[in-house]
């Protein structure tokens, strides 16, 4: 990696700044990190913040079950599907520019979501939030990897990893507090002032001269590849749509089979397009890197199991046990701490023992937690039947996130950082969407809140499915992740 600025003192390792000529002093660099992590925190919170508010949103806007489902999945679908495009756009047009553009889109769409008076407006605004997030997240990730190096990068991106996992749990807590105190619209309004402050501070602190080598040339701008972006967006979108439809119509229905076939067709067209265009959105050779394949699959599983557990536990606590939105959020507060601890300690364990043993152990804990949750009962307790299993699983899945991101991005050339971080984050968001779609199909009528006593057998089956996914990830992680330990001179690189 080229070093563009000298160290700022004996305690600092050489740091490559994101196009900042002479380089800012160390306090400014860490202040920028805090702002970037705050923006990322907003994006991850919005994955789960709406979950505990769904009954209130449905009553307020008169939404049916299908519209409520899309109010959740529209965000993660657009977020995940367009992350590849967002990563390439950051490389092509400048990462600071794409970060600020994405932040404006996300913040404006948050305002639209809070002002929505109907289901169509809310779903469209949630999709727009996802578009803004897809531009912002890979740009922020690439900026951080360029600002820090060696052990300093390890510490900085350890914070980034913890933000990803804990943000989802804090989203559930925040949704409960705001829904109960100020109303459901404030789960979106709260993003507006924070986004405005982050925009102003980052615009001032982060300098990116026009001559920066990464992302302002005509050649790099040709790499946007709209055909590739379109097919890569359509493929997961149709797959998730088909899985969501399967809950109500069964897998034999044309409304399920046709979207699933369309997803396969779009994936094939995407490969054909990437082989034929001169500057593809994704060089297919990148997808053959074992580190990326293993890390991507592990990320899919970790995100899928974690977000599905949030989804299932939130509905179980409210529909079956009758907890309020606030109490549901409070139950999940310790989960945020567990994820953070799992991510923190696993970064040290990976340095000592390597990726494979940590991934296997982490997903074994994830499976154990899901199996504990699979024993929930109609008259159960949130504190004795839900929280223990969730805490065990959260620690293990926090380790899974770190294993996925550090392995996938280890040894990545600087010019591929934006694209690779986009691929890793795509797996995170699509894992969330796919996981929720799968467990919703498995749980069936247990997720319906209209009946006086909804059955819990669907919850048991869905949590068992999460355990199977976690065990499968443990096996794949033990095979596909790199042998040995990370190179300490590079430091790990974290997505979310």
């Amino acid at each position: 990696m080229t070093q563009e600025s000298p160290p700022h003192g004996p305690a600092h390792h050489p740091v490559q700044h994101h196009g900042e000529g002479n380089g800012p002093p160390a306090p400014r660099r860490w202040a920028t990190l805090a702002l970037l992590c705050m923006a990322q925190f907003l994006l991850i919170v919005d994955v789960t913040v709406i979950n505990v508010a769904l009954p209130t949103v449905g009553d307020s806007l008169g939404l049916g079950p299908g519209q409520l489902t899309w109010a959740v999945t529209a965000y993660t679908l657009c977020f995940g599907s367009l992350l590849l495009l967002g990563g390439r756009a950051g490389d092509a047009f400048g990462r600071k520019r794409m970060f600020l553009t994405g932040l404006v889109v996300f913040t404006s769409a948050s305002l639209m979501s809070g002002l929505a008076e109907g289901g169509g407006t809310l779903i469209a605004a949630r999709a727009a939030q996802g578009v803004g997030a897809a531009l912002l997240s890979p740009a922020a990730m690439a900026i951080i990897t360029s600002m820090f190096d060696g052990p300093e990068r390890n510490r900085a991106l350890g914070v980034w990893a913890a933000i990803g996992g804990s943000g989802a749990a804090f989203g559930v807590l925040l949704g409960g507090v705001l829904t109960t105190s100020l109303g459901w619209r404030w789960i979106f309004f709260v993003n507006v002032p924070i986004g405005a402050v982050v925009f102003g501070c980052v615009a001032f602190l982060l300098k990116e001269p026009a001559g920066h080598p990464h992302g302002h040339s005509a050649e790099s701008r040709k790499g946007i590849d709209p055909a590739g972006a379109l097919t890569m967006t359509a493929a997961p979108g149709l797959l998730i749509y088909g899985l969501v439809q399967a809950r109500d119509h069964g897998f034999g229905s044309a409304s399920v089979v046709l979207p699933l076939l369309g997803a396969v067709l779009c994936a094939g067209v995407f490969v054909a397009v990437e082989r034929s265009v001169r500057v593809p959105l994704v060089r297919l050779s990148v997808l053959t890197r074992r580190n990326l394949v293993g890390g991507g699959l592990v990320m899919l599983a970790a995100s899928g199991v974690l977000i599905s557990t949030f989804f299932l536990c939130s509905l179980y606590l409210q529909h079956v046990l009758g907890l309020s939105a606030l109490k549901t959020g409070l139950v999940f507060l310790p989960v945020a701490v567990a994820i953070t601890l799992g991510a923190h300690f696993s970064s040290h364990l990976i340095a000592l023992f390597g990726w494979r043993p940590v991934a296997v152990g982490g997903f074994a804990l994830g499976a154990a937690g899901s199996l504990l949750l699979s024993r929930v009962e109609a008259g159960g307790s949130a504190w004795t039947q839900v929280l223990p299993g969730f805490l065990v699983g959260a620690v293990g899945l926090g380790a899974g996130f770190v294993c996925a991101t550090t392995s996938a991005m280890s040894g990545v050339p600087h010019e591929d950082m934006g694209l690779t971080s986009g691929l890793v984050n795509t797996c995170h968001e699509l894992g969330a969407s796919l996981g929720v779609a799968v467990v919703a199909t498995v749980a069936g009528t247990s997720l319906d809140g209209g009946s006086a006593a909804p059955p819990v057998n669907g919850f048991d089956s869905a949590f068992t499915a999460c355990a199977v996914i976690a065990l499968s990830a443990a096996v794949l992680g033990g095979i596909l992740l790199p042998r040995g330990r990370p190179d300490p001179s590079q430091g790990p690189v974290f997505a979310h």
Side-chain angles (χ1 to χ4, degrees):
M1 182 182 295
T2 303
Q3 304 298 334
E4 296 182 352
S5 62
H8 298 288
H12 291 280
H13 295 268
V15 175
Q16 179 177 6
H17 300 284
H18 191 63
E20 299 187 31
N22 296 325
R28 184 172 173 180
R29 186 166 67 253
W30 289 100
T32 303
L33 170 68
L35 292 167
L36 297 177
C37 286
M38 175 59 69
Q40 179 73 2
F41 187 76
L42 294 180
L43 307 189
I44 304 305
V45 162
D46 266 54
V47 174
T48 57
V49 71
I50 196 173
N51 281 337
V52 296
L54 283 177
T56 306
V57 173
D59 292 340
S60 176
L61 301 182
L63 306 185
Q67 288 178 303
L68 287 176
T69 299
W70 280 109
V72 176
T73 58
Y75 176 69
T76 52
L77 174 58
C78 291
F79 193 173
S81 297
L82 295 174
L83 269 169
L84 294 177
L85 180 63
R88 182 58 72 192
D91 292 339
F93 297 106
R95 293 157 186 170
K96 177 183 177 181
R97 181 181 300 175
M98 285 299 102
F99 174 87
L100 295 177
T101 300
L103 184 59
V104 168
V105 173
F106 176 83
T107 304
S108 301
S110 297
L111 180 61
M112 290 174 56
S113 297
L115 295 174
E117 295 294 339
T121 303
L122 177 61
I123 293 169
R126 287 285 286 168
Q129 279 187 302
V131 174
L135 296 175
L136 187 158
S137 184
M141 173 74 181
I143 290 170
I144 293 173
T145 56
S146 297
M147 285 196 303
F148 297 93
D149 198 12
E152 192 175 67
R153 183 199 286 176
N154 184 5
R155 293 192 298 272
L157 292 171
V159 176
W160 180 268
I163 288 294
S166 62
F170 277 115
V172 179
L173 172 63
L174 184 65
V177 171
L178 292 178
T179 300
T180 302
S181 59
L182 299 175
W184 69 266
R185 297 181 186 277
W186 279 92
I187 67 177
F188 302 113
F189 286 153
V190 71
N191 294 334
V192 177
I194 299 175
V197 170
V198 172
F199 181 94
C201 292
V202 171
F204 173 75
L205 289 176
L206 187 63
K207 308 300 179 184
E208 186 178 45
H212 189 271
H214 301 290
H216 293 289
S217 67
E219 182 66 23
S220 61
R221 291 179 182 179
K222 294 178 182 178
I224 293 300
D225 182 17
L230 177 62
T231 52
M232 190 57 191
T233 301
L238 288 170
L239 174 60
I240 293 167
Y241 178 79
L243 290 173
V244 171
Q245 288 291 100
R247 176 179 180 270
D248 297 324
H249 304 288
F251 281 99
S253 169
S255 63
V256 175
V257 174
L258 291 178
L260 295 181
L261 290 177
V264 174
L265 177 62
C266 286
V269 173
F270 171 77
V271 172
V273 167
E274 299 308 277
R275 285 178 173 174
S276 61
V277 296
R278 189 168 68 88
V279 185
L281 178 66
V282 180
R283 296 194 313 277
L284 296 181
S285 60
V286 173
L287 301 180
T288 63
R289 294 175 181 168
R290 185 187 180 103
N291 290 5
L292 178 58
V293 173
L297 289 175
V298 167
M299 178 62 81
L300 278 171
S303 179
V305 173
L306 182 64
I307 303 303
S308 296
T309 306
F310 285 134
F311 178 76
L312 291 170
C313 287
S314 179
L315 293 176
Y316 170 77
L317 291 173
Q318 293 187 80
H319 289 168
V320 179
L321 300 188
L323 268 64
S324 66
L326 177 59
K327 290 181 179 179
T328 298
L330 290 174
V331 169
F332 291 127
L333 182 58
V335 176
V337 178
I339 297 170
T340 303
L341 290 175
H344 174 73
F345 287 112
S346 65
S347 64
H348 297 288
L349 292 174
I350 290 170
L352 291 174
F353 303 108
W355 286 290
R356 290 186 177 184
V358 176
V360 171
F363 280 106
L365 285 176
S370 295
L371 288 175
L372 288 174
L373 287 167
S374 70
R375 304 176 65 180
V376 293
E377 301 171 349
S381 166
W383 303 104
T384 61
Q385 286 197 318
V386 174
L387 194 56
F390 207 169
L391 287 174
V392 171
V395 172
L397 294 173
F401 285 125
V402 178
C403 289
T405 51
T406 53
S407 62
M409 297 196 69
S410 62
V412 174
H414 183 78
E415 63 271 15
D416 287 338
M417 283 183 176
L419 172 61
T420 306
S421 67
L423 287 165
V424 174
N425 289 336
T426 292
C427 292
H428 181 281
E429 301 308 324
L430 293 185
S433 297
L434 289 169
V436 170
V438 169
V439 298
T441 300
V442 174
T445 58
S446 292
L447 302 185
D448 296 334
S451 59
V456 297
N457 59 307
F459 286 103
D460 296 339
S461 299
F463 283 124
T464 301
C466 289
V468 172
I469 295 171
L471 287 174
S472 300
V475 173
L476 290 174
I479 297 174
L480 295 177
L481 292 183
R483 297 179 183 273
R485 297 172 293 176
D487 182 356
S489 66
Q490 292 184 353
V493 182
F494 296 85
H496 60 256

